[in-house]
């Protein structure tokens, strides 16, 4: 079988044989028995099945990255939804207390990634009643 | 009470018919022998004939059933497909393997939780779509490549597409058959990716299948090119007189807000089905069954090498005829 590896030396594509148009030089030829592996890694000159611990470590890293991505998107949505509050003509009509509340809320949103538990344990700031 | 005692009656100008002497049993009807003699007889019961098959086999027709979910498998926050999957953790790049296979099959057949009692149909909950779509090749490709607008913006993958193509070896010896597919292979949180695999029964006759084994032919654990699907290829030796199921499990690629690319198709079908060779055909009985049968599979269970998926073959024997 034929394998392409990513920058972390982990298999990203695994084929039983090469389809027409593929360049053999782009692929690493591996033992067919590795097809059943949960993850294939290149360990120096050795190509082997990753251990469960190695798989789980990668999974944990990916989950954190995916959670961060999702959390940032949700944060961005909340910022977009509150953008109209800070348009000068509208903002000027709020009481100074409400203005402070809005400013604090949006600042807390922007600082969300700085929270110690980000992205898995995040405290979403309460939205002001407008 | 008066009664009319006759042994034969006849309309003017008509044929005479004679009645039986003894009464029949409850529920019997009078039946003629076309010679004027009536007897009591049971009502006719139609035999349990096989259902109509969707198309004639061996005419170069190639089809598949497919379904999809618009939920990413890491989506959480409601009674829907979560990272735990309909049963337990689901890895799309290893859909062939325990504990993923029963979840793949159930979702491919349109309901990821067929024994569920909630209002949610886990698997095919895209707005406006139906479950278990039947699709045929017009040339050497089978499936689709499309842009999708999702019901909700997701920041990574936006769901999966599942496809099953039944292929039969009618010869008396095993034949190695190549398969080619293109699939979107988005891989973000470690659960996605894509794979192509084959389900093979332990015997050639539908009705006697007791276990099914699963073999992965190709797969990806890569975020890949979000604008273009990856090509996958692998071959499988199909036993003599046997029907196997070739399956694709792909992950939609995130493009931009609400927009995803969903690629899931077989190509180079002319190499899989060397159309001049009548021995390798798309199994129309199995295709009809995959589209129509109620397999009543369980929500959970390890499938590789067990009997859980045997009904895919045995129900086909019951519903569309054994072979």
């Amino acid at each position: 079988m034929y394998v392409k590896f990513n920058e972390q030396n982990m298999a990203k594509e695994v084929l039983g044989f090469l389809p027409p148009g593929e360049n053999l030089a782009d692929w690493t030829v591996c033992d067919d028995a590795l097809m059943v592996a949960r993850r294939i890694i290149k360990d120096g000159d050795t190509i082997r099945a990753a251990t469960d611990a190695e798989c789980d470590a990668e999974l944990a890293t990916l989950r954190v990255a995916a959670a961060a991505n999702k959390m940032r998107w949700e944060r961005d949505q909340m910022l977009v939804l509150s953008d109209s509050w800070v348009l000068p003509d509208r903002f000027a009509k709020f009481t100074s207390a409400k203005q402070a509340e809005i400013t604090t809320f949006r600042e807390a949103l922007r600082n969300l990634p700085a929270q110690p538990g980000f992205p898995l344990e995040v405290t979403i700031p309460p939205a002001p009643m407008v | 009470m008066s009664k009319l005692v006759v042994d034969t009656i006849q309309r003017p100008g008509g044929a005479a018919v004679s009645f039986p002497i003894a009464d029949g049993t409850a529920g019997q009807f009078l039946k003629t022998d076309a010679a004027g003699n009536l007897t009591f007889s049971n009502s006719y019961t139609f035999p349990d004939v096989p259902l109509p098959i969707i198309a004639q086999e061996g005419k170069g027709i190639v089809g598949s059933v497919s379904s999809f979910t618009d939920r990413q498998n890491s989506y959480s926050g409601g009674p829907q497909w979560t990272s735990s999957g309909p049963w337990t953790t689901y890895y799309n790049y290893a859909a062939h393997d325990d504990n993923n296979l029963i979840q793949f099959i159930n979702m491919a057949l349109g309901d990821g939780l067929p024994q569920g009692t909630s209002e949610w149909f886990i698997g095919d909950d895209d707005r406006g779509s139906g479950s278990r779509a039947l699709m045929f090749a017009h040339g050497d490709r089978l499936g689709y490549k499309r842009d999708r607008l999702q019901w909700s913006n997701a920041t990574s993958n936006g769901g999966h597409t599942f496809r099953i193509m039944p292929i039969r070896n009618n010869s008396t010896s095993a034949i190695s058959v190549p398969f080619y597919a293109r699939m979107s292979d988005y891989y973000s949180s470690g659960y996605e990716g894509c794979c192509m695999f084959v389900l093979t029964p332990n015997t050639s006759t539908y009705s006697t299948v007791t276990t099914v084994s699963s073999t992965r032919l190709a797969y990806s654990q890569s975020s890949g090119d979000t604008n273009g699907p990856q090509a996958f290829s692998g071959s499988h030796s199909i036993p003599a007189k046997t029907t196997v199921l070739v399956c694709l499990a792909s992950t939609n690629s995130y493009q931009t807000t609400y927009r995803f690319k969903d690629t899931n198709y077989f190509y180079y079908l002319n190499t899989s089905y060397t159309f001049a060779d009548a021995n390798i055909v798309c199994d129309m009985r199995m295709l009809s069954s995959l589209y129509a049968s109620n397999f009543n599979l369980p929500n959970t269970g390890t499938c590789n090498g067990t009997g859980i998926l045997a009904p895919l073959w045995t129900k086909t024997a019951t519903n569309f005829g054994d072979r």
Side-chain angles (χ1 to χ4, degrees):
Chain A
M1 65 184 216
Y2 301 84
V3 181
K4 267 185 185 173
F5 290 93
N6 63 18
E7 295 76 15
Q8 290 76 42
N9 288 323
M10 294 192 141
K12 58 178 187 175
E13 290 169 55
V14 180
L15 306 182
F17 62 83
L18 289 187
E22 283 293 337
N23 186 356
L24 178 61
D26 296 336
W27 296 81
T28 303
V29 181
C30 297
D31 185 349
D32 286 351
L34 284 172
M35 184 61 86
V36 300
R38 182 178 168 192
R39 201 84 168 95
I40 301 172
I41 62 173
K42 191 156 59 177
D43 187 2
D45 292 334
T46 305
I47 295 170
R48 60 174 175 82
T51 63
D52 281 349
E54 287 169 328
C55 292
D56 293 342
E58 188 210 15
L59 201 57
T61 305
L62 290 171
R63 289 181 72 172
V64 169
N69 192 25
K70 183 167 183 278
M71 188 53 66
R72 281 198 175 88
W73 180 82
E74 289 184 0
R75 184 272 313 267
D76 291 348
Q77 291 299 106
M78 286 189 275
L79 282 171
V80 167
L81 289 171
S82 61
D83 275 350
S84 66
W85 301 346
V86 291
L87 290 172
D89 57 337
R90 193 169 181 202
F91 193 70
K93 292 177 183 167
F94 291 125
T95 63
S96 54
K98 188 62 73 180
Q99 286 177 345
E101 208 177 333
I102 290 171
T103 304
T104 303
F105 170 65
R106 287 171 58 85
E107 193 167 335
L109 287 177
R110 283 189 288 270
N111 291 335
L112 213 64
Q115 288 188 21
F118 184 87
L120 300 178
E121 290 179 29
V122 177
T123 304
I124 306 288
M129 296 294 290
V130 173
Chain B
M1 186 171 68
S2 60
K3 61 182 176 183
L4 186 61
V5 180
V6 293
D7 55 6
T8 303
I9 60 171
Q10 182 178 11
R11 285 187 56 161
V17 290
S18 61
F19 288 89
I21 295 170
D23 193 6
T25 57
Q28 285 193 311
F29 295 88
L30 281 173
K31 174 182 162 185
T32 180
D33 65 355
N37 301 305
L38 300 180
T39 54
F40 285 104
S41 176
N42 293 320
S43 60
Y44 181 75
T45 304
F46 284 95
D48 189 13
V49 295
L51 297 169
I53 293 170
I54 223 155
Q56 191 175 344
E57 200 168 275
K59 299 292 185 185
I61 299 173
V62 180
S64 69
V65 293
S66 61
S67 180
F68 57 88
T69 169
D70 68 345
R71 306 291 176 99
Q72 58 175 325
N73 66 352
S74 58
Y75 199 95
S76 59
Q80 55 204 19
W81 194 19
T82 71
S83 57
S84 296
W87 170 28
T88 183
T89 307
Y90 177 82
Y91 298 90
N92 201 56
Y93 66 84
H96 71 295
D97 205 3
D98 298 327
N99 301 319
N100 310 305
L101 185 51
I102 187 67
Q103 301 181 87
F104 167 88
I105 289 290
N106 282 334
M107 287 188 283
L109 295 177
D111 185 354
L113 207 66
Q115 310 302 326
T117 54
S118 73
E119 63 179 305
W120 290 90
F121 278 70
I122 299 167
D124 192 357
D125 57 359
D126 182 80
R127 290 182 180 177
S129 75
S131 67
R132 252 201 293 192
L134 186 60
M135 211 172 285
F136 292 98
H138 175 49
D140 293 333
R141 301 188 292 192
L142 173 59
Y144 52 66
K145 175 184 179 182
R146 61 181 182 171
D147 273 21
R148 295 184 62 209
L149 291 175
Q150 296 278 11
W151 64 280
S152 173
N153 191 32
T155 51
S156 54
N157 87 77
H160 306 274
T161 293
F162 315 102
R163 183 176 306 281
I164 307 175
M165 176 177 71
I167 184 167
R168 180 173 180 81
N169 173 8
N170 275 322
S171 80
T172 53
S173 56
I175 296 178
S176 181
V177 179
F179 297 102
Y180 299 87
R182 286 187 185 275
M183 290 180 277
S184 34
D185 62 346
Y186 202 84
Y187 182 75
S188 171
S189 58
Y191 300 104
E192 307 94 342
C194 70
C195 75
M196 173 165 66
F197 62 98
V198 182
L199 299 177
T200 308
N202 63 324
T203 68
S204 58
T205 305
Y206 294 157
S207 61
T208 60
V209 170
T210 53
T211 63
V212 176
S213 62
S214 176
T215 309
R216 186 165 59 176
L217 304 184
Y219 67 100
S220 169
Q221 289 168 292
S222 165
S223 60
D225 177 359
T226 56
N227 289 308
Q230 307 300 310
F232 296 91
S233 48
S235 62
H236 187 69
S237 180
I238 305 178
K241 299 284 184 187
T242 299
T243 296
V244 301
L245 306 180
V246 191
C247 306
L248 302 181
S250 61
T251 302
N252 293 352
S253 292
Y254 176 74
Q255 298 296 298
T256 182
T257 305
Y258 296 101
R259 187 179 156 213
F260 295 79
K261 281 194 183 296
D262 173 17
T263 303
N264 182 299
Y265 65 87
F266 291 101
Y267 71 112
Y268 288 149
L269 283 177
N270 56 329
T271 62
S272 303
Y273 302 87
T274 52
F275 291 123
D277 182 358
N279 286 322
I280 297 297
V281 296
C282 183
D283 185 335
M284 288 300 152
R285 290 191 207 192
M286 179 61 84
L287 183 63
S288 307
S289 186
L290 288 172
Y291 181 55
S293 289
N294 183 351
F295 296 109
N296 201 25
L297 296 176
N299 295 334
T300 66
T302 55
C303 298
N304 190 1
T306 74
I308 287 180
L309 296 184
L312 296 178
W313 279 262
T314 56
K315 284 270 186 181
T316 299
T318 306
N319 291 346
F320 292 91
D322 200 10
R323 62 175 170 179

